[in-house]
Amino acid sequence: YSEIWHKIPSEQYQARSYETERKITSLRRFLLICQSIPTVSMIGLTGSCAISNATPDDDIDLMIVTSAHRLFTTRLIVTG
């Protein structure tokens, strides 16, 4: 990843970093709700947001780890 950052102009890096922060901030309420679900073991941020390289068109990729044998129960709760 270090080679990528040397090729990106600083203005573009700052814009993407800002966009990443904006996207992560928009998740705050969702993450607080997920935190209260007992079957959620971990929530990880992946994709472009994980490396502060999000553009306005990018989505937010989350990896949700659940307790054993609780995947579909947790999925139903998280997705509503």
Side-chain angles (χ1 to χ4, degrees):
Y1 294 105
S2 62
E3 292 179 20
I4 293 172
W5 298 120
H6 292 293
K7 296 177 183 177
I8 295 177
S10 63
E11 302 85 29
Q12 185 178 10
Y13 172 76
Q14 289 174 348
R16 289 183 178 189
S17 182
Y18 172 79
E19 186 62 31
T20 299
E21 286 298 319
R22 191 186 68 74
K23 288 177 182 288
I24 292 172
T25 301
S26 72
L27 282 177
R28 183 179 209 102
R29 184 173 177 198
F30 174 76
L31 294 175
L32 287 172
I33 292 168
C34 287
Q35 181 180 343
S36 67
I37 301 171
T39 57
V40 173
S41 301
M42 183 190 90
I43 302 172
L45 184 65
T46 66
S48 60
C49 285
I51 59 170
S52 295
N53 195 28
T55 65
D57 295 331
D58 289 338
D59 60 353
I60 303 168
D61 301 311
L62 296 174
M63 174 180 61
I64 300 176
V65 179
T66 67
S67 303
H69 310 292
R70 297 289 182 242
L71 174 64
F72 292 104
T73 304
T74 306
R75 182 179 179 188
L76 180 65
I77 295 168
V78 168
T79 60

